[in-house]
Amino acid sequence: MTEFNYENEGINHINISPSSKSEIGRRLAVGYPATFHHPLLGGFKSMQQLHIWMKYKYHTQDVKNMELDEFEAYINTHRESFKTKARKVQGFRQIYEECLYHRIIQDPELKQMVIENELPLVKYVGSDVAYNSVWLIPAVERVIKAIKTGVEYPISMHVLYLIEQTAAE
């Protein structure tokens, strides 16, 4: 059985983590600072910023416009309220995946890295598999497969619903 751990990272796998040994692993991490633009949702400075904007309805448009250091401070001061005020976002994972596609194709260096990478992707913290790896890794793999084969992600109905839902709040 293949052993995925920090010692073998970059040899037999890529860990998607801010502490990854590989640049591709760090750049695919949720909090990596990389501005991208979704055709309908607008601009974000990281995938984490997208996540917070989508899931917590008491946040305003201002969250999208925060610089990353300001955003990190905001997250740290609101961490407890995140546990109780999350909203159900219909198609959250599909929207996240669609945005990840835009995030990668708008970064030519990262796009080239994912095209050239042949190592499996994993997500772990210490010796534990990360809680969100069950859906995150397959989503990243689908996006990379689409990029490698030249398939563009369409705008999903979930994005349209999120825009409508956000406008009504």
Side-chain angles (χ1 to χ4, degrees):
M1 185 172 139
T2 303
E3 188 173 350
F4 297 138
N5 57 40
Y6 288 114
E7 291 78 36
N8 293 328
E9 185 185 355
I11 298 167
N12 66 355
H13 71 283
I14 300 294
N15 182 25
I16 297 178
S17 167
S19 60
S20 177
K21 287 182 181 179
S22 67
E23 185 174 356
I24 187 174
R26 288 188 303 276
R27 289 174 82 155
L28 287 172
V30 172
Y32 186 82
T35 299
F36 68 95
H37 186 269
H38 183 279
L40 295 179
L41 298 177
F44 297 90
K45 293 181 175 70
S46 72
M47 293 299 291
Q48 183 177 27
Q49 196 174 46
L50 165 76
H51 176 112
I52 297 297
W53 178 79
M54 279 198 297
K55 293 288 276 189
Y56 303 97
K57 67 180 176 183
Y58 63 93
H59 295 290
T60 66
Q61 195 73 2
D62 295 340
V63 170
K64 289 174 61 176
N65 300 321
M66 289 180 183
E67 293 302 320
L68 285 177
D69 56 344
E70 181 185 9
F71 180 67
E72 287 295 321
Y74 186 80
I75 289 172
N76 289 333
T77 58
H78 291 82
R79 195 166 304 277
E80 285 303 310
S81 64
F82 289 163
K83 295 175 184 173
T84 59
K85 295 191 178 185
R87 69 175 169 180
K88 174 82 172 135
V89 176
Q90 183 178 348
F92 171 81
R93 292 176 183 174
Q94 291 84 0
I95 296 169
Y96 186 93
E97 188 172 318
E98 183 180 321
C99 289
L100 180 61
Y101 168 82
H102 290 286
R103 154 77 184 94
I104 293 173
I105 65 167
Q106 292 170 28
D107 180 340
E109 289 177 12
L110 179 57
K111 181 180 177 185
Q112 192 60 40
M113 284 182 215
V114 301
I115 289 171
E116 293 173 357
N117 179 56
E118 295 189 13
L119 294 175
L121 302 171
V122 296
K123 183 167 175 44
Y124 55 80
V125 178
S127 61
D128 300 322
V129 173
Y131 72 94
N132 62 351
S133 65
V134 172
W135 69 268
L136 182 64
I137 296 302
V140 174
E141 289 171 343
R142 284 188 296 274
V143 168
I144 290 172
K145 184 176 181 180
I147 291 169
K148 285 183 175 184
T149 58
V151 173
E152 290 187 31
Y153 264 60
I155 303 293
S156 74
M157 294 305 293
H158 298 297
V159 167
L160 299 175
Y161 178 75
L162 177 63
I163 291 168
E164 184 179 286
Q165 180 184 13
T166 303
E169 294 173 347

